[in-house]
């Protein structure tokens, strides 16, 4: 399985740069952003599996940033982390849709494990949506074929096409 495409969002440049380097060495594709505005531009421009977002930043908090990201990419998983986090903040971030909440500093193995789990969940959701869409398109295609035969006056053929699709 391919490693996740990760977006790191934190105003602490040194922390982001070190984390980016460590994740890249572990095989992830990583983009670093030092503010939420830059992160939102990245999310609009490219597809990411997981965002790792600092909770406390100068221009906005991580929960608000996560909500904005989820508007653009609803299936993208977000992990919120903070060096000053409280249990209340952790609970609130999870209620708002975070995949997980981590405290800084975090063990690198824990971070990669959580990223892998978040990525797996995103891909699972993607696959479910693709399967559902495929079924809808297939039914729509059959209905259109049936309608074409009905328009041509071949009602028995149209009924047969639609009946076969319902049996599937």
């Amino acid at each position: 399985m391919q490693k996740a495409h990760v977006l790191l969002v934190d105003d602490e440049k040194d922390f982001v740069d070190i984390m980016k380097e460590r994740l890249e060495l572990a095989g992830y594709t990583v983009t670093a952003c030092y503010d939420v505005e830059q992160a939102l531009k990245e999310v609009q421009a490219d597809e990411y599996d997981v965002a790792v977002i600092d909770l406390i930043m100068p221009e906005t908090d991580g929960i608000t940033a996560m909500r904005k990201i989820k508007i653009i990419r609803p299936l993208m998983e977000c992990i919120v982390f903070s060096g000053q986090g409280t249990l209340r903040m952790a609970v609130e971030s999870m209620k708002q849709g975070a995949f997980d909440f981590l405290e800084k500093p975090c063990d690198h193995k824990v971070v990669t494990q959580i990223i892998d789990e978040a990525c797996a969940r995103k891909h699972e959701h993607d696959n479910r949506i693709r399967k559902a869409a495929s079924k809808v398109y297939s039914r729509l295609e059959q209905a259109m074929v049936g309608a074409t035969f009905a328009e041509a006056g071949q009602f028995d053929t149209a009924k047969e096409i639609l009946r076969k699709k319902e049996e599937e």
Side-chain angles (χ1 to χ4, degrees):
M1 183 169 129
Q2 183 181 351
K3 292 283 191 172
H5 190 187
V6 179
L7 181 69
L8 293 177
V9 187
D10 194 331
D11 61 306
E12 295 178 39
K13 187 177 182 331
D14 291 339
F15 176 80
V16 171
D17 291 344
I18 290 168
M19 186 173 222
K20 178 180 189 291
E21 185 177 313
R22 293 180 98 192
L23 290 173
E24 287 176 338
L25 287 172
Y28 298 92
T29 302
V30 183
T31 300
C33 296
Y34 307 105
D35 61 59
V36 174
E37 186 177 317
Q38 180 187 8
L40 293 174
K41 287 178 185 174
E42 282 294 329
V43 170
Q44 289 175 329
D46 204 354
E47 182 76 28
Y48 291 88
D49 297 305
V50 180
V52 179
I53 309 166
D54 188 25
L55 180 64
I56 300 170
M57 293 180 278
E59 73 278 1
T60 190
D61 64 277
I63 294 172
T64 302
M66 176 183 64
R67 278 194 226 122
K68 290 179 179 181
I69 287 171
K70 291 256 187 200
I71 289 170
I72 300 166
R73 302 277 183 194
L75 296 180
M76 187 172 162
E77 294 295 345
C78 297
I79 299 165
V80 176
F81 65 103
S82 179
Q84 304 132 33
T86 64
L87 180 59
R88 186 176 187 185
M89 291 174 175
V91 169
E92 184 59 26
S93 67
M94 300 293 280
K95 281 183 181 178
Q96 295 296 322
F99 180 81
D100 209 335
F101 182 91
L102 299 172
E103 289 185 68
K104 287 184 199 174
C106 359
D107 180 76
H108 181 67
K109 289 181 182 179
V110 171
V111 173
T112 57
Q113 178 183 347
I114 299 293
I115 289 172
D116 288 344
E117 290 170 6
C119 183
R121 184 162 85 177
K122 180 193 181 276
H123 288 290
E124 182 182 318
H125 289 159
D126 284 344
N127 289 335
R128 283 184 187 161
I129 289 170
R130 280 192 191 95
K131 286 178 184 177
S134 176
K135 287 178 183 178
V136 168
Y137 290 136
S138 178
R139 294 199 80 162
L140 180 60
E141 182 179 45
Q142 288 301 115
M144 291 172 66
V145 169
T148 302
F149 278 102
E151 278 184 346
Q154 297 180 9
F155 298 107
D156 290 338
T157 303
K159 287 179 189 176
E160 183 67 22
I161 288 169
L162 294 175
R163 185 185 60 74
K164 282 183 181 179
K165 192 61 185 173
E166 286 181 12
E167 289 175 358
E168 289 179 6

